[in-house]
Amino acid sequence: MKIAVIGLGHMGAPMAANLVGAGHEVTGFDAAGVTLAGVSPAPSAAAAATGAEVVLTMLPDGAILRRVAAEVIPAMTPGAVLLDCSTVDVDSARAVAAQAEAAGLLALDAPVSGGVGGASAGTLTFMVGGSEAGFARSRPLFEVMGQKAVFCGPSGNGQAAKICNNMILGVTMIATCEAFALADKLGLSRQAMYDVVSTSSGSSWSMNVYCPAPGVGPASPADRGYVPGFSADLMLKDLRLSQQAAELADADTPMGARAADLYRVFVEEENGRGRDFSAMLPRFERRGRS
Ligand code: NAD
């Protein structure tokens, strides 16, 4: 397929590389002038999108997505697919999809989970909202870039699934870290804590797969000095998106709100910026009740 990739950052670059590796004809544009082997560089987003069957965007936030969409939609061929894989607010996803549909395009919001490792290995999970025909058309691309694509319903529902998942993740990571810090103070070894909880009702992905305690459980960012992985900054971004959505939908999300606040303090006031989101464990370790 003829594909344009707009946004060749930490995620977009390896996703584009996998599309090239699968034999697709890929044109790319990034505002920072990033170029990539095998990807034809375009002078603008609109130029990249011209003539593409699928335009894949992988951008930092909803405001940037709206700007890029306003540029690329008029350049796209009716019937082509606008496939946004960024994590953005549900409102921006729905607004961009409505504009794309009005121009005769098929629109999908398809945020991912799996991080940079998953993007490089081609093992991302895509949560997809929007056009069913667009989903069917994009399936071969999801298969190259990921291991799973779940169709979640109308436009915005992919973003809804993503922020609900990450709200659970933020809350369970904090719960796992504060429980480890309590266990330390009660004299329980981290290995014993892991062995019990990972096979008991307190188990979760945060404990079993991404254990925040170094030297315990499968290899995780904790074993590499909390180099991300998934940064606390990105977790804060996603928790803020879930709180913004909860506000608009009048949903009561007290644990999500508390998690957003703890990650805000960690990132903005406690040098958590750029550290893995599981570095909440050393944060709790250093603290007492007051
Ligand atoms: P990034 O900052 O590395 O990449 C974004 C790229 O977009 C940058 O290269 C930037 O130059 C480019 N860009 C910005 N404005 C542009 C414009 N107007 N036109 C063209 N290019 C523009 O970010 P990332 O880590 O690749 O994340 C991309 C998206 O994926 C975000 O929405 C993020 O929340 C989401 N995400 C990231 C991860 C992760 O682990 N990094 C995991 C899941 C989801």
mmCIF file of all heavy atoms in Angstrom, residues 1-4 48-56 72-84 96-97 99-108 131 133-135 137-138 141:
data_model
loop_
_atom_site.group_PDB
_atom_site.id
_atom_site.type_symbol
_atom_site.label_atom_id
_atom_site.label_comp_id
_atom_site.label_asym_id
_atom_site.label_seq_id
_atom_site.Cartn_x
_atom_site.Cartn_y
_atom_site.Cartn_z
ATOM 1 N N MET A 1 0.842 -1.199 0.000
ATOM 2 C CA MET A 1 0.000 0.000 0.000
ATOM 3 C C MET A 1 0.872 1.242 0.000
ATOM 4 O O MET A 1 2.016 1.214 0.442
ATOM 5 C CB MET A 1 -0.834 0.028 1.295
ATOM 6 C CG MET A 1 -2.154 -0.650 1.190
ATOM 7 S SD MET A 1 -3.130 -0.152 2.636
ATOM 8 C CE MET A 1 -3.921 -1.670 3.034
ATOM 9 N N LYS A 2 0.270 2.327 -0.450
ATOM 10 C CA LYS A 2 0.962 3.627 -0.417
ATOM 11 C C LYS A 2 0.546 4.310 0.896
ATOM 12 O O LYS A 2 -0.638 4.602 1.098
ATOM 13 C CB LYS A 2 0.467 4.435 -1.622
ATOM 14 C CG LYS A 2 1.480 5.386 -2.182
ATOM 15 C CD LYS A 2 1.046 5.850 -3.577
ATOM 16 C CE LYS A 2 1.965 6.945 -4.085
ATOM 17 N NZ LYS A 2 1.853 8.214 -3.432
ATOM 18 N N ILE A 3 1.520 4.496 1.785
ATOM 19 C CA ILE A 3 1.189 4.968 3.133
ATOM 20 C C ILE A 3 1.992 6.228 3.459
ATOM 21 O O ILE A 3 3.191 6.304 3.146
ATOM 22 C CB ILE A 3 1.534 3.874 4.185
ATOM 23 C CG1 ILE A 3 0.763 2.595 3.860
ATOM 24 C CG2 ILE A 3 1.206 4.345 5.601
ATOM 25 C CD1 ILE A 3 1.273 1.380 4.601
ATOM 26 N N ALA A 4 1.337 7.202 4.090
ATOM 27 C CA ALA A 4 2.057 8.372 4.617
ATOM 28 C C ALA A 4 2.100 8.243 6.132
ATOM 29 O O ALA A 4 1.082 7.911 6.754
ATOM 30 C CB ALA A 4 1.328 9.658 4.227
ATOM 31 N N ALA A 48 3.001 14.692 1.930
ATOM 32 C CA ALA A 48 3.102 13.264 2.254
ATOM 33 C C ALA A 48 1.759 12.570 2.025
ATOM 34 O O ALA A 48 1.695 11.438 1.548
ATOM 35 C CB ALA A 48 3.545 13.092 3.712
ATOM 36 N N ALA A 49 0.675 13.278 2.360
ATOM 37 C CA ALA A 49 -0.664 12.669 2.320
ATOM 38 C C ALA A 49 -1.220 12.544 0.909
ATOM 39 O O ALA A 49 -2.094 11.710 0.655
ATOM 40 C CB ALA A 49 -1.619 13.502 3.173
ATOM 41 N N THR A 50 -0.706 13.367 -0.002
ATOM 42 C CA THR A 50 -1.244 13.387 -1.369
ATOM 43 C C THR A 50 -1.033 12.023 -2.043
ATOM 44 O O THR A 50 0.093 11.545 -2.133
ATOM 45 C CB THR A 50 -0.560 14.508 -2.193
ATOM 46 O OG1 THR A 50 -0.755 15.732 -1.490
ATOM 47 C CG2 THR A 50 -1.138 14.613 -3.589
ATOM 48 N N GLY A 51 -2.133 11.423 -2.450
ATOM 49 C CA GLY A 51 -2.050 10.149 -3.170
ATOM 50 C C GLY A 51 -1.910 8.920 -2.277
ATOM 51 O O GLY A 51 -1.868 7.799 -2.771
ATOM 52 N N ALA A 52 -1.840 9.117 -0.942
ATOM 53 C CA ALA A 52 -1.683 7.957 -0.042
ATOM 54 C C ALA A 52 -3.021 7.247 0.151
ATOM 55 O O ALA A 52 -4.074 7.883 0.200
ATOM 56 C CB ALA A 52 -1.136 8.416 1.305
ATOM 57 N N GLU A 53 -2.971 5.916 0.259
ATOM 58 C CA GLU A 53 -4.201 5.160 0.554
ATOM 59 C C GLU A 53 -4.523 5.226 2.044
ATOM 60 O O GLU A 53 -5.671 5.163 2.455
ATOM 61 C CB GLU A 53 -4.011 3.692 0.151
ATOM 62 C CG GLU A 53 -3.810 3.494 -1.340
ATOM 63 C CD GLU A 53 -3.269 2.099 -1.650
ATOM 64 O OE1 GLU A 53 -4.072 1.144 -1.618
ATOM 65 O OE2 GLU A 53 -2.045 1.979 -1.882
ATOM 66 N N VAL A 54 -3.455 5.315 2.858
ATOM 67 C CA VAL A 54 -3.625 5.447 4.311
ATOM 68 C C VAL A 54 -2.666 6.534 4.798
ATOM 69 O O VAL A 54 -1.485 6.531 4.436
ATOM 70 C CB VAL A 54 -3.296 4.123 5.041
ATOM 71 C CG1 VAL A 54 -3.362 4.309 6.554
ATOM 72 C CG2 VAL A 54 -4.237 3.005 4.604
ATOM 73 N N VAL A 55 -3.189 7.464 5.605
ATOM 74 C CA VAL A 55 -2.333 8.464 6.255
ATOM 75 C C VAL A 55 -2.333 8.146 7.746
ATOM 76 O O VAL A 55 -3.379 8.236 8.408
ATOM 77 C CB VAL A 55 -2.836 9.897 6.000
ATOM 78 C CG1 VAL A 55 -2.005 10.900 6.793
ATOM 79 C CG2 VAL A 55 -2.784 10.215 4.505
ATOM 80 N N LEU A 56 -1.182 7.736 8.238
ATOM 81 C CA LEU A 56 -1.052 7.358 9.653
ATOM 82 C C LEU A 56 -0.407 8.528 10.397
ATOM 83 O O LEU A 56 0.667 8.991 10.009
ATOM 84 C CB LEU A 56 -0.190 6.097 9.756
ATOM 85 C CG LEU A 56 -0.044 5.417 11.124
ATOM 86 C CD1 LEU A 56 0.403 3.965 10.920
ATOM 87 C CD2 LEU A 56 0.923 6.094 12.064
ATOM 88 N N VAL A 72 -3.914 17.935 6.233
ATOM 89 C CA VAL A 72 -3.850 16.745 5.357
ATOM 90 C C VAL A 72 -5.203 16.359 4.748
ATOM 91 O O VAL A 72 -5.232 15.829 3.647
ATOM 92 C CB VAL A 72 -3.238 15.502 6.058
ATOM 93 C CG1 VAL A 72 -1.811 15.770 6.484
ATOM 94 C CG2 VAL A 72 -4.068 14.989 7.202
ATOM 95 N N ILE A 73 -6.302 16.637 5.456
ATOM 96 C CA ILE A 73 -7.606 16.162 4.955
ATOM 97 C C ILE A 73 -7.894 16.700 3.540
ATOM 98 O O ILE A 73 -8.245 15.922 2.650
ATOM 99 C CB ILE A 73 -8.742 16.480 5.966
ATOM 100 C CG1 ILE A 73 -8.599 15.552 7.183
ATOM 101 C CG2 ILE A 73 -10.125 16.338 5.327
ATOM 102 C CD1 ILE A 73 -9.525 15.876 8.357
ATOM 103 N N PRO A 74 -7.681 18.004 3.296
ATOM 104 C CA PRO A 74 -7.965 18.480 1.932
ATOM 105 C C PRO A 74 -7.039 17.879 0.874
ATOM 106 O O PRO A 74 -7.394 17.857 -0.308
ATOM 107 C CB PRO A 74 -7.732 20.005 2.032
ATOM 108 C CG PRO A 74 -7.730 20.323 3.483
ATOM 109 C CD PRO A 74 -7.280 19.099 4.195
ATOM 110 N N ALA A 75 -5.867 17.388 1.301
ATOM 111 C CA ALA A 75 -4.914 16.836 0.324
ATOM 112 C C ALA A 75 -5.192 15.368 0.025
ATOM 113 O O ALA A 75 -4.664 14.810 -0.945
ATOM 114 C CB ALA A 75 -3.492 16.982 0.858
ATOM 115 N N MET A 76 -6.029 14.727 0.856
ATOM 116 C CA MET A 76 -6.214 13.274 0.711
ATOM 117 C C MET A 76 -7.252 12.929 -0.355
ATOM 118 O O MET A 76 -8.176 13.692 -0.612
ATOM 119 C CB MET A 76 -6.623 12.655 2.062
ATOM 120 C CG MET A 76 -5.478 12.622 3.061
ATOM 121 S SD MET A 76 -6.002 12.030 4.695
ATOM 122 C CE MET A 76 -6.430 10.320 4.367
ATOM 123 N N THR A 77 -7.091 11.752 -0.935
ATOM 124 C CA THR A 77 -8.006 11.261 -1.959
ATOM 125 C C THR A 77 -9.257 10.691 -1.290
ATOM 126 O O THR A 77 -9.125 9.870 -0.364
ATOM 127 C CB THR A 77 -7.318 10.109 -2.739
ATOM 128 O OG1 THR A 77 -5.998 10.533 -3.068
ATOM 129 C CG2 THR A 77 -8.079 9.723 -3.982
ATOM 130 N N PRO A 78 -10.465 11.094 -1.705
ATOM 131 C CA PRO A 78 -11.669 10.509 -1.104
ATOM 132 C C PRO A 78 -11.608 8.976 -1.132
ATOM 133 O O PRO A 78 -11.134 8.381 -2.104
ATOM 134 C CB PRO A 78 -12.801 11.044 -2.002
ATOM 135 C CG PRO A 78 -12.259 12.338 -2.533
ATOM 136 C CD PRO A 78 -10.773 12.140 -2.703
ATOM 137 N N GLY A 79 -12.051 8.365 -0.027
ATOM 138 C CA GLY A 79 -11.993 6.910 0.089
ATOM 139 C C GLY A 79 -10.745 6.435 0.831
ATOM 140 O O GLY A 79 -10.682 5.292 1.278
ATOM 141 N N ALA A 80 -9.749 7.325 0.964
ATOM 142 C CA ALA A 80 -8.528 6.946 1.700
ATOM 143 C C ALA A 80 -8.813 6.936 3.203
ATOM 144 O O ALA A 80 -9.849 7.437 3.660
ATOM 145 C CB ALA A 80 -7.407 7.929 1.375
ATOM 146 N N VAL A 81 -7.888 6.350 3.959
ATOM 147 C CA VAL A 81 -8.085 6.177 5.410
ATOM 148 C C VAL A 81 -7.182 7.138 6.180
ATOM 149 O O VAL A 81 -5.968 7.170 5.946
ATOM 150 C CB VAL A 81 -7.749 4.727 5.842
ATOM 151 C CG1 VAL A 81 -7.952 4.550 7.346
ATOM 152 C CG2 VAL A 81 -8.573 3.717 5.060
ATOM 153 N N LEU A 82 -7.772 7.891 7.098
ATOM 154 C CA LEU A 82 -6.984 8.703 8.040
ATOM 155 C C LEU A 82 -6.918 7.913 9.347
ATOM 156 O O LEU A 82 -7.933 7.711 10.020
ATOM 157 C CB LEU A 82 -7.651 10.068 8.265
ATOM 158 C CG LEU A 82 -6.919 10.997 9.253
ATOM 159 C CD1 LEU A 82 -5.490 11.281 8.821
ATOM 160 C CD2 LEU A 82 -7.682 12.316 9.409
ATOM 161 N N LEU A 83 -5.724 7.405 9.646
ATOM 162 C CA LEU A 83 -5.529 6.471 10.757
ATOM 163 C C LEU A 83 -4.687 7.154 11.828
ATOM 164 O O LEU A 83 -3.466 7.235 11.705
ATOM 165 C CB LEU A 83 -4.812 5.221 10.208
ATOM 166 C CG LEU A 83 -4.298 4.174 11.182
ATOM 167 C CD1 LEU A 83 -5.447 3.571 11.980
ATOM 168 C CD2 LEU A 83 -3.560 3.067 10.426
ATOM 169 N N ASP A 84 -5.350 7.676 12.865
ATOM 170 C CA ASP A 84 -4.588 8.357 13.909
ATOM 171 C C ASP A 84 -4.261 7.388 15.030
ATOM 172 O O ASP A 84 -5.160 6.839 15.666
ATOM 173 C CB ASP A 84 -5.370 9.552 14.465
ATOM 174 C CG ASP A 84 -4.576 10.190 15.596
ATOM 175 O OD1 ASP A 84 -3.361 10.391 15.409
ATOM 176 O OD2 ASP A 84 -5.158 10.438 16.672
ATOM 177 N N VAL A 96 -11.886 15.423 14.587
ATOM 178 C CA VAL A 96 -11.072 15.131 13.399
ATOM 179 C C VAL A 96 -11.786 14.085 12.523
ATOM 180 O O VAL A 96 -11.825 14.206 11.299
ATOM 181 C CB VAL A 96 -9.664 14.655 13.826
ATOM 182 C CG1 VAL A 96 -8.925 13.972 12.691
ATOM 183 C CG2 VAL A 96 -8.862 15.838 14.355
ATOM 184 N N ALA A 97 -12.383 13.090 13.140
ATOM 185 C CA ALA A 97 -13.088 12.052 12.367
ATOM 186 C C ALA A 97 -14.260 12.673 11.605
ATOM 187 O O ALA A 97 -14.494 12.338 10.434
ATOM 188 C CB ALA A 97 -13.579 10.951 13.297
ATOM 189 N N GLN A 99 -14.542 15.741 10.507
ATOM 190 C CA GLN A 99 -14.003 16.500 9.358
ATOM 191 C C GLN A 99 -13.588 15.570 8.241
ATOM 192 O O GLN A 99 -13.821 15.844 7.069
ATOM 193 C CB GLN A 99 -12.740 17.245 9.794
ATOM 194 C CG GLN A 99 -12.977 18.616 10.369
ATOM 195 C CD GLN A 99 -11.649 19.187 10.886
ATOM 196 O OE1 GLN A 99 -10.593 18.972 10.298
ATOM 197 N NE2 GLN A 99 -11.717 19.883 11.989
ATOM 198 N N ALA A 100 -12.936 14.472 8.618
ATOM 199 C CA ALA A 100 -12.451 13.529 7.609
ATOM 200 C C ALA A 100 -13.629 12.900 6.873
ATOM 201 O O ALA A 100 -13.628 12.795 5.640
ATOM 202 C CB ALA A 100 -11.594 12.453 8.270
ATOM 203 N N GLU A 101 -14.665 12.524 7.624
ATOM 204 C CA GLU A 101 -15.829 11.885 6.991
ATOM 205 C C GLU A 101 -16.536 12.860 6.059
ATOM 206 O O GLU A 101 -16.980 12.489 4.975
ATOM 207 C CB GLU A 101 -16.772 11.340 8.065
ATOM 208 C CG GLU A 101 -16.288 9.977 8.546
ATOM 209 C CD GLU A 101 -16.791 9.593 9.933
ATOM 210 O OE1 GLU A 101 -17.774 10.193 10.410
ATOM 211 O OE2 GLU A 101 -16.162 8.687 10.536
ATOM 212 N N ALA A 102 -16.600 14.136 6.476
ATOM 213 C CA ALA A 102 -17.236 15.145 5.621
ATOM 214 C C ALA A 102 -16.474 15.299 4.305
ATOM 215 O O ALA A 102 -17.044 15.708 3.296
ATOM 216 C CB ALA A 102 -17.305 16.480 6.363
ATOM 217 N N ALA A 103 -15.193 14.967 4.301
ATOM 218 C CA ALA A 103 -14.387 15.070 3.078
ATOM 219 C C ALA A 103 -14.357 13.735 2.318
ATOM 220 O O ALA A 103 -13.561 13.559 1.389
ATOM 221 C CB ALA A 103 -12.972 15.504 3.440
ATOM 222 N N GLY A 104 -15.196 12.778 2.741
ATOM 223 C CA GLY A 104 -15.293 11.505 2.010
ATOM 224 C C GLY A 104 -14.202 10.510 2.374
ATOM 225 O O GLY A 104 -13.936 9.558 1.639
ATOM 226 N N LEU A 105 -13.557 10.724 3.529
ATOM 227 C CA LEU A 105 -12.494 9.808 3.953
ATOM 228 C C LEU A 105 -13.030 8.821 4.983
ATOM 229 O O LEU A 105 -14.092 9.047 5.579
ATOM 230 C CB LEU A 105 -11.341 10.607 4.585
ATOM 231 C CG LEU A 105 -10.730 11.712 3.723
ATOM 232 C CD1 LEU A 105 -9.767 12.552 4.538
ATOM 233 C CD2 LEU A 105 -10.019 11.102 2.514
ATOM 234 N N LEU A 106 -12.282 7.746 5.222
ATOM 235 C CA LEU A 106 -12.604 6.820 6.300
ATOM 236 C C LEU A 106 -11.682 7.186 7.465
ATOM 237 O O LEU A 106 -10.469 7.298 7.272
ATOM 238 C CB LEU A 106 -12.352 5.373 5.869
ATOM 239 C CG LEU A 106 -13.065 4.936 4.581
ATOM 240 C CD1 LEU A 106 -12.687 3.498 4.218
ATOM 241 C CD2 LEU A 106 -14.572 5.055 4.741
ATOM 242 N N ALA A 107 -12.243 7.378 8.665
ATOM 243 C CA ALA A 107 -11.414 7.846 9.785
ATOM 244 C C ALA A 107 -11.384 6.811 10.898
ATOM 245 O O ALA A 107 -12.399 6.189 11.226
ATOM 246 C CB ALA A 107 -11.978 9.160 10.317
ATOM 247 N N LEU A 108 -10.189 6.640 11.475
ATOM 248 C CA LEU A 108 -10.034 5.734 12.615
ATOM 249 C C LEU A 108 -9.212 6.405 13.693
ATOM 250 O O LEU A 108 -8.195 7.053 13.396
ATOM 251 C CB LEU A 108 -9.298 4.452 12.191
ATOM 252 C CG LEU A 108 -9.976 3.534 11.182
ATOM 253 C CD1 LEU A 108 -9.008 2.435 10.755
ATOM 254 C CD2 LEU A 108 -11.239 2.912 11.779
ATOM 255 N N SER A 131 -14.653 4.055 11.512
ATOM 256 C CA SER A 131 -15.278 3.378 10.380
ATOM 257 C C SER A 131 -14.921 1.886 10.337
ATOM 258 O O SER A 131 -13.743 1.518 10.341
ATOM 259 C CB SER A 131 -14.775 4.076 9.105
ATOM 260 O OG SER A 131 -14.739 3.193 8.027
ATOM 261 N N ALA A 133 -15.382 -0.061 7.780
ATOM 262 C CA ALA A 133 -14.733 -0.319 6.484
ATOM 263 C C ALA A 133 -13.259 0.091 6.568
ATOM 264 O O ALA A 133 -12.381 -0.604 6.040
ATOM 265 C CB ALA A 133 -15.444 0.466 5.379
ATOM 266 N N GLY A 134 -12.999 1.187 7.260
ATOM 267 C CA GLY A 134 -11.613 1.644 7.431
ATOM 268 C C GLY A 134 -10.815 0.644 8.251
ATOM 269 O O GLY A 134 -9.628 0.400 7.987
ATOM 270 N N PHE A 135 -11.485 0.051 9.249
ATOM 271 C CA PHE A 135 -10.818 -0.960 10.087
ATOM 272 C C PHE A 135 -10.421 -2.168 9.237
ATOM 273 O O PHE A 135 -9.295 -2.659 9.313
ATOM 274 C CB PHE A 135 -11.756 -1.381 11.228
ATOM 275 C CG PHE A 135 -11.163 -2.387 12.174
ATOM 276 C CD1 PHE A 135 -10.140 -2.040 13.032
ATOM 277 C CD2 PHE A 135 -11.636 -3.696 12.213
ATOM 278 C CE1 PHE A 135 -9.581 -2.972 13.919
ATOM 279 C CE2 PHE A 135 -11.096 -4.631 13.084
ATOM 280 C CZ PHE A 135 -10.063 -4.265 13.943
ATOM 281 N N ARG A 137 -9.908 -2.238 6.040
ATOM 282 C CA ARG A 137 -8.856 -1.824 5.103
ATOM 283 C C ARG A 137 -7.502 -1.752 5.801
ATOM 284 O O ARG A 137 -6.461 -2.011 5.218
ATOM 285 C CB ARG A 137 -9.236 -0.457 4.534
ATOM 286 C CG ARG A 137 -8.449 0.013 3.352
ATOM 287 C CD ARG A 137 -9.120 -0.329 2.030
ATOM 288 N NE ARG A 137 -10.358 0.413 1.862
ATOM 289 C CZ ARG A 137 -10.392 1.709 1.517
ATOM 290 N NH1 ARG A 137 -9.283 2.377 1.316
ATOM 291 N NH2 ARG A 137 -11.540 2.327 1.371
ATOM 292 N N SER A 138 -7.514 -1.355 7.079
ATOM 293 C CA SER A 138 -6.239 -1.139 7.790
ATOM 294 C C SER A 138 -5.708 -2.411 8.443
ATOM 295 O O SER A 138 -4.593 -2.413 8.969
ATOM 296 C CB SER A 138 -6.432 -0.073 8.876
ATOM 297 O OG SER A 138 -6.963 1.090 8.312
ATOM 298 N N LEU A 141 -2.196 -3.543 8.003
ATOM 299 C CA LEU A 141 -1.187 -2.678 8.623
ATOM 300 C C LEU A 141 -1.106 -2.965 10.119
ATOM 301 O O LEU A 141 -0.024 -3.000 10.706
ATOM 302 C CB LEU A 141 -1.513 -1.201 8.384
ATOM 303 C CG LEU A 141 -1.767 -0.804 6.920
ATOM 304 C CD1 LEU A 141 -1.881 0.716 6.806
ATOM 305 C CD2 LEU A 141 -0.648 -1.310 6.032
#
